[in-house]
Short mmCIF file of all heavy atoms in Angstrom, two decimals:
data_model
loop_
_atom_site.label_atom_id
_atom_site.label_comp_id
_atom_site.label_asym_id
_atom_site.label_seq_id
_atom_site.Cartn_x
_atom_site.Cartn_y
_atom_site.Cartn_z
N MET H 1 -6.29 -2.18 13.03
CA MET H 1 -7.32 -2.79 12.23
C MET H 1 -7.15 -4.29 12.25
O MET H 1 -6.05 -4.79 12.39
CB MET H 1 -7.21 -2.31 10.75
CG MET H 1 -7.40 -0.80 10.61
SD MET H 1 -7.23 -0.32 8.88
CE MET H 1 -8.81 -0.83 8.27
N GLU H 2 -8.24 -4.99 12.11
CA GLU H 2 -8.20 -6.44 12.07
C GLU H 2 -8.84 -6.92 10.79
O GLU H 2 -9.86 -6.36 10.36
CB GLU H 2 -8.97 -7.00 13.26
CG GLU H 2 -8.90 -8.50 13.37
CD GLU H 2 -9.57 -9.01 14.68
OE1 GLU H 2 -9.73 -8.21 15.60
OE2 GLU H 2 -9.96 -10.19 14.64
N PHE H 3 -8.23 -7.90 10.14
CA PHE H 3 -8.73 -8.42 8.88
C PHE H 3 -9.02 -9.92 8.98
O PHE H 3 -8.34 -10.64 9.71
CB PHE H 3 -7.67 -8.23 7.76
CG PHE H 3 -7.29 -6.81 7.57
CD1 PHE H 3 -6.18 -6.24 8.11
CD2 PHE H 3 -8.10 -5.99 6.75
CE1 PHE H 3 -5.84 -4.92 7.92
CE2 PHE H 3 -7.78 -4.66 6.54
CZ PHE H 3 -6.65 -4.13 7.13
N GLU H 4 -9.98 -10.33 8.25
CA GLU H 4 -10.29 -11.76 8.09
C GLU H 4 -9.50 -12.28 6.86
O GLU H 4 -9.18 -11.49 5.95
CB GLU H 4 -11.80 -12.00 7.87
CG GLU H 4 -12.64 -11.54 9.05
CD GLU H 4 -12.41 -12.34 10.29
OE1 GLU H 4 -12.10 -13.57 10.20
OE2 GLU H 4 -12.52 -11.77 11.41
N ALA H 5 -9.26 -13.54 6.79
CA ALA H 5 -8.60 -14.12 5.64
C ALA H 5 -9.32 -13.74 4.36
O ALA H 5 -10.51 -13.84 4.29
CB ALA H 5 -8.51 -15.66 5.75
N GLY H 6 -8.56 -13.27 3.36
CA GLY H 6 -9.13 -12.86 2.08
C GLY H 6 -9.58 -11.43 1.99
O GLY H 6 -9.95 -10.97 0.91
N ASP H 7 -9.67 -10.72 3.12
CA ASP H 7 -10.05 -9.31 3.06
C ASP H 7 -9.05 -8.49 2.28
O ASP H 7 -7.86 -8.80 2.27
CB ASP H 7 -10.10 -8.72 4.49
CG ASP H 7 -11.35 -9.09 5.22
OD1 ASP H 7 -12.26 -9.72 4.65
OD2 ASP H 7 -11.44 -8.75 6.42
N GLU H 8 -9.54 -7.46 1.58
CA GLU H 8 -8.68 -6.58 0.81
C GLU H 8 -9.09 -5.11 1.07
O GLU H 8 -10.27 -4.86 1.31
CB GLU H 8 -8.82 -6.82 -0.67
CG GLU H 8 -8.21 -8.11 -1.14
CD GLU H 8 -8.28 -8.24 -2.68
OE1 GLU H 8 -8.51 -7.24 -3.38
OE2 GLU H 8 -8.06 -9.36 -3.16
N ILE H 9 -8.12 -4.26 1.01
CA ILE H 9 -8.42 -2.82 1.00
C ILE H 9 -8.05 -2.36 -0.43
O ILE H 9 -6.92 -2.57 -0.88
CB ILE H 9 -7.61 -2.04 2.03
CG1 ILE H 9 -8.01 -2.50 3.43
CG2 ILE H 9 -7.80 -0.56 1.86
CD1 ILE H 9 -7.22 -1.82 4.53
N ARG H 10 -8.96 -1.73 -1.11
CA ARG H 10 -8.76 -1.31 -2.49
C ARG H 10 -7.72 -0.18 -2.52
O ARG H 10 -7.46 0.49 -1.51
CB ARG H 10 -10.06 -0.81 -3.09
CG ARG H 10 -11.08 -1.94 -3.16
CD ARG H 10 -12.30 -1.51 -3.85
NE ARG H 10 -12.05 -1.79 -5.28
CZ ARG H 10 -12.92 -1.63 -6.22
NH1 ARG H 10 -14.10 -1.16 -5.95
NH2 ARG H 10 -12.60 -1.90 -7.45
N LEU H 11 -7.13 0.03 -3.65
CA LEU H 11 -6.15 1.08 -3.87
C LEU H 11 -6.72 2.40 -3.43
O LEU H 11 -7.87 2.76 -3.83
CB LEU H 11 -5.77 1.11 -5.36
CG LEU H 11 -4.63 2.01 -5.74
CD1 LEU H 11 -3.35 1.61 -5.04
CD2 LEU H 11 -4.43 1.97 -7.24
N HIS H 12 -5.99 3.14 -2.63
CA HIS H 12 -6.46 4.42 -2.13
C HIS H 12 -5.26 5.30 -1.77
O HIS H 12 -4.13 4.81 -1.84
CB HIS H 12 -7.38 4.24 -0.88
CG HIS H 12 -6.71 3.59 0.26
ND1 HIS H 12 -6.49 2.24 0.34
CD2 HIS H 12 -6.16 4.12 1.38
CE1 HIS H 12 -5.87 2.01 1.48
NE2 HIS H 12 -5.65 3.10 2.13
N ASN H 13 -5.49 6.52 -1.39
CA ASN H 13 -4.44 7.48 -1.17
C ASN H 13 -4.51 8.06 0.23
O ASN H 13 -5.60 8.20 0.79
CB ASN H 13 -4.59 8.61 -2.20
CG ASN H 13 -3.37 9.49 -2.26
OD1 ASN H 13 -2.33 9.17 -1.66
ND2 ASN H 13 -3.48 10.58 -2.95
N HIS H 14 -3.37 8.37 0.80
CA HIS H 14 -3.27 9.08 2.05
C HIS H 14 -2.35 10.29 1.81
O HIS H 14 -1.14 10.25 2.17
CB HIS H 14 -2.64 8.22 3.15
CG HIS H 14 -3.52 7.06 3.56
ND1 HIS H 14 -4.41 7.14 4.60
CD2 HIS H 14 -3.69 5.82 3.04
CE1 HIS H 14 -5.05 6.02 4.76
NE2 HIS H 14 -4.60 5.19 3.80
N PRO H 15 -2.83 11.36 1.20
CA PRO H 15 -1.97 12.50 0.83
C PRO H 15 -1.38 13.15 2.07
O PRO H 15 -1.99 13.32 3.07
CB PRO H 15 -2.90 13.41 0.10
CG PRO H 15 -4.26 13.06 0.50
CD PRO H 15 -4.23 11.61 0.87
N ASP H 16 -0.08 13.50 1.93
CA ASP H 16 0.67 14.24 2.95
C ASP H 16 0.65 13.54 4.33
O ASP H 16 0.63 14.17 5.36
CB ASP H 16 0.13 15.66 3.11
CG ASP H 16 0.22 16.42 1.80
OD1 ASP H 16 1.24 16.27 1.11
OD2 ASP H 16 -0.72 17.15 1.47
N MET H 17 0.63 12.19 4.33
CA MET H 17 0.63 11.43 5.59
C MET H 17 1.77 10.40 5.58
O MET H 17 2.20 9.95 4.54
CB MET H 17 -0.69 10.70 5.76
CG MET H 17 -1.88 11.58 5.90
SD MET H 17 -3.34 10.52 6.16
CE MET H 17 -4.61 11.74 6.06
N THR H 18 2.20 10.05 6.79
CA THR H 18 3.16 9.01 6.99
C THR H 18 2.49 7.97 7.88
O THR H 18 1.78 8.37 8.79
CB THR H 18 4.47 9.56 7.63
OG1 THR H 18 5.03 10.51 6.74
CG2 THR H 18 5.46 8.45 7.90
N GLY H 19 2.73 6.70 7.62
CA GLY H 19 2.13 5.69 8.45
C GLY H 19 3.02 4.51 8.67
O GLY H 19 4.04 4.32 7.95
N VAL H 20 2.70 3.72 9.67
CA VAL H 20 3.42 2.51 9.98
C VAL H 20 2.40 1.37 10.05
O VAL H 20 1.36 1.51 10.66
CB VAL H 20 4.17 2.58 11.35
CG1 VAL H 20 4.83 1.27 11.67
CG2 VAL H 20 5.19 3.70 11.32
N ILE H 21 2.70 0.26 9.36
CA ILE H 21 1.86 -0.92 9.42
C ILE H 21 2.64 -1.99 10.14
O ILE H 21 3.71 -2.38 9.69
CB ILE H 21 1.46 -1.37 8.00
CG1 ILE H 21 0.69 -0.29 7.30
CG2 ILE H 21 0.68 -2.67 8.04
CD1 ILE H 21 0.42 -0.54 5.84
N LEU H 22 2.12 -2.47 11.24
CA LEU H 22 2.77 -3.48 12.08
C LEU H 22 1.88 -4.70 12.11
O LEU H 22 0.71 -4.63 12.44
CB LEU H 22 2.98 -2.96 13.51
CG LEU H 22 3.46 -3.99 14.55
CD1 LEU H 22 4.86 -4.54 14.20
CD2 LEU H 22 3.44 -3.36 15.92
N CYS H 23 2.42 -5.84 11.74
CA CYS H 23 1.69 -7.07 11.77
C CYS H 23 1.82 -7.71 13.17
O CYS H 23 2.93 -7.96 13.62
CB CYS H 23 2.22 -8.05 10.71
SG CYS H 23 1.36 -9.63 10.67
N LEU H 24 0.70 -7.93 13.84
CA LEU H 24 0.71 -8.55 15.19
C LEU H 24 0.53 -10.05 15.14
O LEU H 24 1.11 -10.77 15.99
CB LEU H 24 -0.35 -7.92 16.05
CG LEU H 24 -0.21 -6.40 16.32
CD1 LEU H 24 -1.39 -5.88 17.10
CD2 LEU H 24 1.09 -6.13 17.03
N SER H 25 -0.25 -10.54 14.18
CA SER H 25 -0.46 -11.99 14.05
C SER H 25 -0.86 -12.29 12.62
O SER H 25 -1.25 -11.40 11.89
CB SER H 25 -1.52 -12.46 15.02
OG SER H 25 -2.79 -11.95 14.70
N GLY H 26 -0.71 -13.54 12.23
CA GLY H 26 -1.02 -13.92 10.85
C GLY H 26 -0.02 -13.36 9.87
O GLY H 26 1.17 -13.24 10.19
N SER H 27 -0.47 -13.01 8.72
CA SER H 27 0.40 -12.37 7.70
C SER H 27 -0.44 -11.43 6.85
O SER H 27 -1.65 -11.50 6.81
CB SER H 27 1.10 -13.41 6.85
OG SER H 27 0.16 -14.11 6.07
N LEU H 28 0.27 -10.52 6.18
CA LEU H 28 -0.38 -9.48 5.41
C LEU H 28 0.41 -9.22 4.14
O LEU H 28 1.61 -8.97 4.20
CB LEU H 28 -0.47 -8.22 6.25
CG LEU H 28 -0.99 -6.95 5.60
CD1 LEU H 28 -2.51 -7.09 5.33
CD2 LEU H 28 -0.66 -5.72 6.46
N GLU H 29 -0.25 -9.30 2.97
CA GLU H 29 0.37 -8.91 1.73
C GLU H 29 0.22 -7.40 1.57
O GLU H 29 -0.88 -6.88 1.72
CB GLU H 29 -0.34 -9.59 0.54
CG GLU H 29 -0.12 -11.11 0.50
CD GLU H 29 1.23 -11.51 -0.02
OE1 GLU H 29 1.85 -10.72 -0.74
OE2 GLU H 29 1.65 -12.62 0.31
N LEU H 30 1.31 -6.72 1.29
CA LEU H 30 1.27 -5.28 1.21
C LEU H 30 1.91 -4.79 -0.10
O LEU H 30 3.00 -5.27 -0.46
CB LEU H 30 2.07 -4.69 2.39
CG LEU H 30 2.17 -3.18 2.49
CD1 LEU H 30 0.77 -2.54 2.71
CD2 LEU H 30 3.10 -2.79 3.63
N GLU H 31 1.21 -3.91 -0.79
CA GLU H 31 1.73 -3.25 -1.99
C GLU H 31 1.61 -1.76 -1.78
O GLU H 31 0.60 -1.29 -1.23
CB GLU H 31 0.97 -3.66 -3.21
CG GLU H 31 1.10 -5.13 -3.58
CD GLU H 31 0.27 -5.48 -4.82
OE1 GLU H 31 -0.95 -5.19 -4.79
OE2 GLU H 31 0.86 -5.97 -5.76
N ALA H 32 2.58 -1.00 -2.22
CA ALA H 32 2.55 0.45 -2.14
C ALA H 32 2.96 1.03 -3.50
O ALA H 32 3.83 0.45 -4.19
CB ALA H 32 3.44 0.98 -1.02
N PHE H 33 2.37 2.15 -3.86
CA PHE H 33 2.62 2.78 -5.16
C PHE H 33 2.81 4.28 -4.98
O PHE H 33 2.29 4.89 -4.06
CB PHE H 33 1.40 2.59 -6.08
CG PHE H 33 1.04 1.16 -6.30
CD1 PHE H 33 0.24 0.45 -5.43
CD2 PHE H 33 1.54 0.50 -7.45
CE1 PHE H 33 -0.08 -0.88 -5.66
CE2 PHE H 33 1.23 -0.85 -7.69
CZ PHE H 33 0.42 -1.51 -6.79
N ASN H 34 3.57 4.88 -5.88
CA ASN H 34 3.68 6.31 -6.02
C ASN H 34 2.86 6.75 -7.23
O ASN H 34 2.89 6.06 -8.27
CB ASN H 34 5.12 6.78 -6.21
CG ASN H 34 5.92 6.76 -4.94
OD1 ASN H 34 5.36 6.81 -3.85
ND2 ASN H 34 7.23 6.69 -5.09
N LEU H 35 2.18 7.84 -7.11
CA LEU H 35 1.44 8.43 -8.24
C LEU H 35 2.45 9.26 -9.03
O LEU H 35 3.11 10.17 -8.48
CB LEU H 35 0.30 9.33 -7.70
CG LEU H 35 -0.52 10.07 -8.78
CD1 LEU H 35 -1.23 9.08 -9.66
CD2 LEU H 35 -1.51 11.01 -8.04
N LEU H 36 2.59 8.93 -10.31
CA LEU H 36 3.54 9.66 -11.15
C LEU H 36 2.96 10.99 -11.57
O LEU H 36 1.74 11.18 -11.63
CB LEU H 36 3.87 8.83 -12.39
CG LEU H 36 4.57 7.47 -12.09
CD1 LEU H 36 4.85 6.74 -13.37
CD2 LEU H 36 5.86 7.68 -11.28
N GLU H 37 3.83 11.95 -11.85
CA GLU H 37 3.40 13.32 -12.21
C GLU H 37 2.77 13.40 -13.57
O GLU H 37 1.92 14.21 -13.81
CB GLU H 37 4.57 14.27 -12.12
CG GLU H 37 5.04 14.50 -10.70
CD GLU H 37 6.13 15.53 -10.59
OE1 GLU H 37 6.32 16.33 -11.56
OE2 GLU H 37 6.85 15.54 -9.57
N HIS H 38 3.16 12.54 -14.49
CA HIS H 38 2.64 12.57 -15.87
C HIS H 38 1.55 11.51 -16.01
O HIS H 38 1.42 10.59 -15.19
CB HIS H 38 3.73 12.38 -16.88
CG HIS H 38 4.55 11.14 -16.71
ND1 HIS H 38 5.55 11.02 -15.76
CD2 HIS H 38 4.48 9.92 -17.33
CE1 HIS H 38 6.08 9.80 -15.79
NE2 HIS H 38 5.46 9.14 -16.75
N GLN H 39 0.76 11.66 -17.04
CA GLN H 39 -0.32 10.69 -17.35
C GLN H 39 0.00 9.93 -18.62
O GLN H 39 0.91 10.30 -19.38
CB GLN H 39 -1.64 11.47 -17.50
CG GLN H 39 -2.05 12.17 -16.25
CD GLN H 39 -3.35 12.94 -16.43
OE1 GLN H 39 -3.85 13.07 -17.53
NE2 GLN H 39 -3.86 13.52 -15.35
N SER H 40 -0.77 8.89 -18.84
CA SER H 40 -0.59 8.13 -20.10
C SER H 40 -1.08 8.95 -21.26
O SER H 40 -1.71 10.00 -21.10
CB SER H 40 -1.37 6.80 -20.03
OG SER H 40 -2.76 7.09 -20.09
N ALA H 41 -0.80 8.48 -22.47
CA ALA H 41 -1.23 9.21 -23.69
C ALA H 41 -2.76 9.36 -23.73
O ALA H 41 -3.28 10.33 -24.27
CB ALA H 41 -0.74 8.46 -24.91
N SER H 42 -3.46 8.43 -23.09
CA SER H 42 -4.95 8.51 -23.09
C SER H 42 -5.46 9.28 -21.86
O SER H 42 -6.67 9.36 -21.68
CB SER H 42 -5.54 7.09 -23.13
OG SER H 42 -5.09 6.37 -22.02
N GLY H 43 -4.56 9.84 -21.06
CA GLY H 43 -4.98 10.68 -19.95
C GLY H 43 -5.19 9.93 -18.64
O GLY H 43 -5.64 10.51 -17.63
N ASN H 44 -4.85 8.61 -18.60
CA ASN H 44 -4.98 7.85 -17.34
C ASN H 44 -3.86 8.16 -16.39
O ASN H 44 -2.74 8.45 -16.79
CB ASN H 44 -5.00 6.36 -17.65
CG ASN H 44 -6.20 5.93 -18.42
OD1 ASN H 44 -7.30 6.37 -18.17
ND2 ASN H 44 -6.00 5.04 -19.38
N LEU H 45 -4.16 8.09 -15.11
CA LEU H 45 -3.12 8.25 -14.09
C LEU H 45 -2.14 7.07 -14.16
O LEU H 45 -2.53 5.92 -14.47
CB LEU H 45 -3.73 8.30 -12.69
CG LEU H 45 -4.68 9.46 -12.43
CD1 LEU H 45 -5.30 9.33 -11.05
CD2 LEU H 45 -3.98 10.77 -12.58
N LEU H 46 -0.86 7.34 -13.87
CA LEU H 46 0.13 6.29 -13.89
C LEU H 46 0.74 6.10 -12.50
O LEU H 46 0.92 7.08 -11.75
CB LEU H 46 1.28 6.69 -14.85
CG LEU H 46 0.88 6.79 -16.34
CD1 LEU H 46 2.02 7.29 -17.15
CD2 LEU H 46 0.38 5.45 -16.85
N LEU H 47 0.96 4.85 -12.13
CA LEU H 47 1.50 4.49 -10.83
C LEU H 47 2.81 3.76 -10.98
O LEU H 47 3.03 3.02 -11.95
CB LEU H 47 0.53 3.60 -10.09
CG LEU H 47 -0.87 4.12 -9.83
CD1 LEU H 47 -1.74 3.03 -9.22
CD2 LEU H 47 -0.84 5.34 -8.95
N GLU H 48 3.67 3.92 -9.99
CA GLU H 48 4.93 3.17 -9.96
C GLU H 48 4.90 2.35 -8.64
O GLU H 48 4.73 2.90 -7.56
CB GLU H 48 6.10 4.15 -9.87
CG GLU H 48 7.42 3.49 -9.61
CD GLU H 48 8.52 4.52 -9.37
OE1 GLU H 48 8.24 5.60 -8.85
OE2 GLU H 48 9.68 4.19 -9.69
N GLN H 49 5.03 1.03 -8.74
CA GLN H 49 5.03 0.19 -7.55
C GLN H 49 6.36 0.37 -6.83
O GLN H 49 7.44 0.22 -7.46
CB GLN H 49 4.79 -1.27 -7.90
CG GLN H 49 4.62 -2.13 -6.68
CD GLN H 49 4.19 -3.54 -7.01
OE1 GLN H 49 4.53 -4.07 -8.07
NE2 GLN H 49 3.50 -4.15 -6.10
N VAL H 50 6.30 0.69 -5.55
CA VAL H 50 7.51 0.91 -4.79
C VAL H 50 7.70 -0.09 -3.65
O VAL H 50 8.75 -0.16 -3.01
CB VAL H 50 7.54 2.36 -4.16
CG1 VAL H 50 7.66 3.37 -5.30
CG2 VAL H 50 6.34 2.61 -3.31
N LEU H 51 6.69 -0.93 -3.42
CA LEU H 51 6.79 -1.95 -2.37
C LEU H 51 5.86 -3.10 -2.67
O LEU H 51 4.71 -2.88 -3.05
CB LEU H 51 6.42 -1.33 -0.99
CG LEU H 51 6.45 -2.28 0.20
CD1 LEU H 51 7.88 -2.71 0.52
CD2 LEU H 51 5.84 -1.60 1.42
N GLN H 52 6.35 -4.30 -2.49
CA GLN H 52 5.52 -5.50 -2.53
C GLN H 52 6.17 -6.48 -1.54
O GLN H 52 7.31 -6.94 -1.77
CB GLN H 52 5.42 -6.12 -3.90
CG GLN H 52 4.54 -7.35 -3.94
CD GLN H 52 4.36 -7.89 -5.34
OE1 GLN H 52 5.03 -7.51 -6.30
NE2 GLN H 52 3.42 -8.79 -5.47
N THR H 53 5.47 -6.78 -0.44
CA THR H 53 6.08 -7.59 0.59
C THR H 53 5.00 -8.33 1.39
O THR H 53 3.81 -8.02 1.24
CB THR H 53 6.93 -6.74 1.56
OG1 THR H 53 7.69 -7.57 2.41
CG2 THR H 53 6.08 -5.79 2.39
N ARG H 54 5.41 -9.27 2.16
CA ARG H 54 4.51 -9.99 3.06
C ARG H 54 5.00 -9.67 4.49
O ARG H 54 6.12 -9.99 4.83
CB ARG H 54 4.53 -11.47 2.84
CG ARG H 54 3.68 -12.27 3.85
CD ARG H 54 3.77 -13.75 3.66
NE ARG H 54 3.07 -14.16 2.45
CZ ARG H 54 1.75 -14.49 2.43
NH1 ARG H 54 1.06 -14.46 3.53
NH2 ARG H 54 1.20 -14.90 1.33
N LEU H 55 4.11 -9.12 5.29
CA LEU H 55 4.42 -8.87 6.70
C LEU H 55 4.02 -10.08 7.52
O LEU H 55 2.96 -10.69 7.26
CB LEU H 55 3.70 -7.63 7.20
CG LEU H 55 4.04 -6.29 6.49
CD1 LEU H 55 3.28 -5.16 7.14
CD2 LEU H 55 5.53 -6.03 6.51
N THR H 56 4.82 -10.43 8.46
CA THR H 56 4.54 -11.51 9.42
C THR H 56 4.68 -10.96 10.83
O THR H 56 5.15 -9.84 11.01
CB THR H 56 5.51 -12.65 9.19
OG1 THR H 56 6.86 -12.21 9.30
CG2 THR H 56 5.34 -13.30 7.81
N PRO H 57 4.23 -11.67 11.83
CA PRO H 57 4.22 -11.11 13.18
C PRO H 57 5.55 -10.49 13.59
O PRO H 57 6.61 -11.08 13.41
CB PRO H 57 3.90 -12.32 14.07
CG PRO H 57 3.03 -13.19 13.15
CD PRO H 57 3.66 -13.06 11.82
N GLY H 58 5.45 -9.26 14.03
CA GLY H 58 6.64 -8.51 14.47
C GLY H 58 7.30 -7.69 13.39
O GLY H 58 8.22 -6.93 13.67
N THR H 59 6.91 -7.86 12.12
CA THR H 59 7.52 -7.07 11.03
C THR H 59 6.62 -5.89 10.74
O THR H 59 5.42 -5.90 11.01
CB THR H 59 7.74 -7.92 9.79
OG1 THR H 59 6.50 -8.42 9.29
CG2 THR H 59 8.72 -9.05 10.07
N PHE H 60 7.24 -4.88 10.15
CA PHE H 60 6.47 -3.65 9.82
C PHE H 60 6.92 -3.03 8.54
O PHE H 60 8.00 -3.36 8.00
CB PHE H 60 6.62 -2.63 10.97
CG PHE H 60 7.99 -2.04 11.12
CD1 PHE H 60 8.32 -0.85 10.51
CD2 PHE H 60 8.97 -2.70 11.86
CE1 PHE H 60 9.60 -0.35 10.62
CE2 PHE H 60 10.23 -2.22 11.98
CZ PHE H 60 10.55 -1.00 11.37
N ALA H 61 6.14 -2.11 8.04
CA ALA H 61 6.46 -1.35 6.83
C ALA H 61 6.06 0.11 7.12
O ALA H 61 5.13 0.37 7.88
CB ALA H 61 5.72 -1.86 5.62
N THR H 62 6.78 1.02 6.53
CA THR H 62 6.40 2.47 6.63
C THR H 62 5.95 2.96 5.28
O THR H 62 6.41 2.54 4.22
CB THR H 62 7.62 3.31 7.11
OG1 THR H 62 8.71 3.11 6.19
CG2 THR H 62 8.07 2.91 8.50
N LEU H 63 4.95 3.82 5.35
CA LEU H 63 4.42 4.49 4.16
C LEU H 63 4.63 5.96 4.35
O LEU H 63 4.29 6.52 5.37
CB LEU H 63 2.93 4.18 4.02
CG LEU H 63 2.59 2.67 3.97
CD1 LEU H 63 1.09 2.48 3.97
CD2 LEU H 63 3.21 2.01 2.75
N THR H 64 5.22 6.60 3.31
CA THR H 64 5.49 8.03 3.42
C THR H 64 4.73 8.79 2.33
O THR H 64 4.33 8.21 1.33
CB THR H 64 6.99 8.28 3.28
OG1 THR H 64 7.47 7.76 2.03
CG2 THR H 64 7.78 7.62 4.41
N ALA H 65 4.63 10.10 2.56
CA ALA H 65 3.93 10.95 1.60
C ALA H 65 4.68 11.01 0.27
O ALA H 65 5.87 10.85 0.25
CB ALA H 65 3.76 12.37 2.16
#
């Protein structure tokens, strides 16, 4: 995929998938979350942030199910 400066991908899910994100040029801010099994008192889904990093050319991150 190719992104322009300022582009964002909204929070989304890839159930039962594993992926690799490799930065070829520029840089990329990456955040990853786990969906927690329990919900808030008001019934909202809860997330746990498990990754926050900046990828630069030649660096990569893995995403697991």
Side-chain angles (χ1 to χ4, degrees):
M1 299 178 78
E2 185 175 338
F3 300 98
E4 298 295 327
D7 282 354
E8 289 186 15
I9 295 178
R10 299 185 87 177
L11 188 60
H12 62 281
N13 193 11
H14 292 268
D16 302 320
M17 295 182 189
T18 299
V20 176
I21 299 172
L22 170 64
C23 180
L24 298 176
S25 65
S27 65
L28 174 71
E29 293 282 336
L30 179 65
E31 294 178 305
F33 301 85
N34 282 338
L35 178 62
L36 298 179
E37 292 183 19
H38 56 281
Q39 298 178 353
S40 71
S42 59
N44 293 320
L45 298 176
L46 296 174
L47 301 174
E48 172 189 30
Q49 187 172 28
V50 294
L51 178 69
Q52 182 175 11
T53 191
R54 175 184 288 272
L55 299 181
T56 56
T59 61
F60 68 94
T62 57
L63 305 174
T64 59

